[in-house]
C-alpha cells in the first residue's frame, strides 16, 4: 500500500511491525489518565536511543524457560474433529502453563475452546475476548460487585440512603434518568445523542452530589483510576482487594466509571481474569491474552499466569506472541498451516525441544525471535 503511493497509519504493539515502520509516533508515558503525551516521533533506530517504555520493550530479548514444570498428569482428547480438526488425539498436561500455537485458522480454538473445554467444562474457566454481558450503564464496579460497597461507605458517612449514590436509583439525574445523555429520535434519520445539560454527563442529581466521602463526591470517585481508588479506599479491605486484582492484571489505569461497552477485547479479557484470579484447582483457558497489550505489559500477564499455576491451577493459553511461548512449560503446536491444511498436532513438548528439533512454522519463527 505504501509503495503504491498511499499513506498508511497503523496503531500497533507488535514488535515486528514497529521495527519496519518508516516513522514512529510513541504516545505515553503510560495509559489512561497517565498517558496522552507525544513522547517521540522519528525512525525506529532513533526510537531505540530513547528511554520510553516502547523503546525498552523493543530492546528486551526474553530468554526461553530453562526449567519447565513437570506435568502432574494429563487430560486426554481423542478423535477431535470439530471444524478442520482431523481426528486429533492429544494429551493436555495438568498443573503447568501450556501454550497452544499455530498459524491463524490452524484449529487452535476448535481444539481447546470447543473440544477440550466442552469435555472438561465442569472444571474449566474460559476467559476470552467476547463481550461482557452487561448494560451500557455497567462498569468495573458493578461487574465485580463492589459498587454496593462504595455506596455503603457514602451512605454511612452521610447518614442517608445508599440508593442516593446510584444513577440507577434515587441519585439519578431527573433529566436524563441517570444515562448522562439525551437521545433524540428523528424520523427517517439516526437518533441524535447529546450530553445532558442538567448533569453535564455525570448521571447524578444535584442532591446526590451534595454528599461527600473523604472529601469527594460520588462522581469524583467514579472518575478515579483504579490505582488512585486503591489508595483512596486503603482502609476498606473488601473494596481494596477488588481494586488490587484489577491492578494485578494490568488495568490500573481504567476509570471506575468507564462503561464496560467501551473496553477493548484485551481489556475485557483481563476484567474476566480479575474476576476469577482467586480460584484454585481449576483449568484456565485464555484466548490470546496479550491482544491490546503493550510489549512492556506482556511479562506482567505471563507472571500472573505463572502464579495461577503455582496455586495449583492448570493454565492453557492460545497465543501467537513468541515472548509468551518462551516462558511456557509446554507447547502444543497445531498446523501445519491454516484452513484445510491445518487441523493436526504437529508438535508437543517443551520450548527448548521445539527450538532444537521442530521445523514447524511456529518453531522457525520462534528461533528467529532469539
Amino acid at each position: 500500500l505504501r509503495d503504491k503511493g498511499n499513506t498508511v497509519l497503523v496503531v500497533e504493539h507488535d514488535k515486528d511491525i514497529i521495527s519496519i515502520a518508516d516513522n514512529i509516533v510513541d504516545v505515553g508515558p503510560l495509559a489512561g489518565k497517565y498517558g496522552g503525551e507525544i513522547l517521540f516521533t522519528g525512525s525506529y533506530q532513533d526510537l531505540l536511543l530513547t528511554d520510553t517504555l516502547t523503546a525498552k520493550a523493543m530492546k528486551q530479548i526474553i530468554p526461553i524457560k530453562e526449567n519447565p514444570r513437570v506435568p502432574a498428569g494429563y487430560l486426554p482428547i481423542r478423535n477431535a474433529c470439530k471444524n478442520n480438526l482431523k481426528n486429533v488425539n492429544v494429551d493436555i498436561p495438568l498443573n503447568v502453563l501450556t501454550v497452544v500455537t499455530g498459524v491463524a485458522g490452524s484449529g487452535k480454538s476448535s481444539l481447546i475452546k470447543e473440544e477440550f473445554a466442552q469435555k472438561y467444562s465442569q472444571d474449566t474457566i474460559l476467559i476470552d475476548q467476547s463481550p461482557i454481558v452487561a448494560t451500557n450503564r455497567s462498569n468495573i464496579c458493578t461487574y465485580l460487585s463492589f459498587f454496593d460497597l462504595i455506596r455503603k461507605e457514602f451512605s454511612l458517612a452521610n447518614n442517608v440512603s445508599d440508593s442516593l449514590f446510584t444513577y440507577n436509583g434515587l441519585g439519578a439525574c431527573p433529566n436524563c434518568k441517570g444515562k448522562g445523555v439525551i437521545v433524540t429520535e428523528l424520523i427517517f434519520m439516526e437518533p441524535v445523542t447529546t450530553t445532558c445539560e442538567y448533569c453535564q454527563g455525570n448521571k447524578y442529581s444535584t442532591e446526590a452530589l451534595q454528599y461527600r466521602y473523604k472529601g469527594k463526591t460520588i462522581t469524583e470517585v467514579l472518575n478515579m483510576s483504579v490505582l488512585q481508588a486503591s489508595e483512596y479506599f486503603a482502609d476498606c479491605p473488601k473494596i481494596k482487594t477488588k481494586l488490587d486484582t484489577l491492578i494485578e492484571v494490568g488495568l490500573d489505569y481504567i476509570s471506575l466509571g468507564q462503561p464496560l461497552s467501551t473496553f477493548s477485547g484485551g481489556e475485557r479479557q483481563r476484567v474476566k481474569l480479575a474476576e476469577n484470579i482467586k480460584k484454585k484447582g481449576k483449568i484456565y483457558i485464555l484466548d490470546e491474552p496479550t491482544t491490546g497489550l503493550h510489549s512492556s505489559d506482556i511479562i506482567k500477564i505471563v507472571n500472573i499466569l505463572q502464579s495461577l499455576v503455582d496455586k495449583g491451577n492448570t493454565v492453557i493459553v492460545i497465543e501467537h506472541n513468541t515472548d509468551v511461548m518462551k516462558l511456557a512449560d509446554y507447547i502444543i503446536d497445531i498446523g501445519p498451516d491454516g484452513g484445510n491444511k491445518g487441523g493436526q498436532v504437529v508438535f508437543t513438548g517443551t520450548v527448548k525441544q521445539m527450538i532444537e528439533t521442530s521445523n514447524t512454522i511456529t518453531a522457525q519463527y520462534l528461533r528467529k525471535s532469539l
Side-chain angles (χ1 to χ4, degrees), residues 288-354:
E288 296 189 55
T290 63
T291 299
L293 274 184
H294 188 273
S295 297
S296 62
D297 290 322
I298 288 174
I299 301 304
K300 294 179 185 177
I301 286 294
V302 174
N303 287 339
I304 294 169
L305 303 182
Q306 303 283 16
S307 69
L308 284 174
V309 177
D310 291 338
K311 292 175 184 175
N313 299 293
T314 296
V315 179
I316 305 166
V317 181
I318 301 168
E319 189 56 79
H320 292 290
N321 187 281
T322 55
D323 288 343
V324 177
M325 296 177 199
K326 292 175 190 176
L327 298 171
D329 298 306
Y330 198 81
I331 298 280
I332 297 175
D333 198 20
I334 312 298
D337 214 311
N340 292 331
K341 297 180 181 178
Q344 303 175 59
V345 175
V346 291
F347 173 84
T348 59
T350 65
V351 184
K352 189 174 182 180
Q353 289 170 339
M354 173 176 248

Side-chain angles (χ1 to χ4, degrees), residues 10 28 37 46 62 67 95 134 143 163 168 208 226 232-233 244 282 288 315 319 331 346:
V10 182
E37 300 176 35
D46 287 341
I62 306 298
N67 298 299
N95 301 115
Y143 185 74
S163 186
N168 293 320
V226 169
Y232 180 75
F233 289 109
D244 287 347
K282 295 291 185 178
E288 296 189 55
V315 179
E319 189 56 79
I331 298 280
V346 291

Side-chain angles (χ1 to χ4, degrees), residues 61-83:
I61 298 178
I62 306 298
I64 66 169
K65 194 170 192 176
E66 291 292 340
N67 298 299
R69 299 178 182 88
V70 177
Y74 295 86
L75 293 176
I77 301 177
R78 296 292 179 262
N79 301 314
C81 56
K82 285 281 180 70
N83 301 320

Side-chain angles (χ1 to χ4, degrees), residues 172-197:
C173 167
N175 188 49
C176 65
K177 311 303 181 186
K179 295 180 180 179
V181 295
I182 299 296
V183 179
T184 304
E185 300 288 345
L186 300 174
I187 300 175
F188 305 124
M189 295 178 67
E190 290 292 323
V192 175
T193 302
T194 55
T195 300
C196 175
E197 294 182 0

Side-chain angles (χ1 to χ4, degrees), residues 71-137:
Y74 295 86
L75 293 176
I77 301 177
R78 296 292 179 262
N79 301 314
C81 56
K82 285 281 180 70
N83 301 320
N84 67 333
L85 296 176
K86 297 177 172 62
N87 294 313
V88 168
N89 295 315
V90 67
D91 296 318
I92 307 295
L94 291 170
N95 301 115
V96 301
L97 173 58
T98 297
V99 176
V100 181
T101 60
V103 301
S106 60
K108 304 183 297 299
S109 294
S110 298
L111 179 65
I112 300 301
K113 291 174 65 176
E114 296 187 48
E115 293 278 4
F116 179 81
Q118 288 179 14
K119 183 173 183 180
Y120 299 101
S121 59
Q122 187 173 354
D123 297 314
T124 297
I125 298 171
L126 177 60
I127 301 173
D128 60 14
Q129 298 178 34
S130 60
I132 293 171
V133 179
T135 69
N136 57 4
R137 297 188 179 208

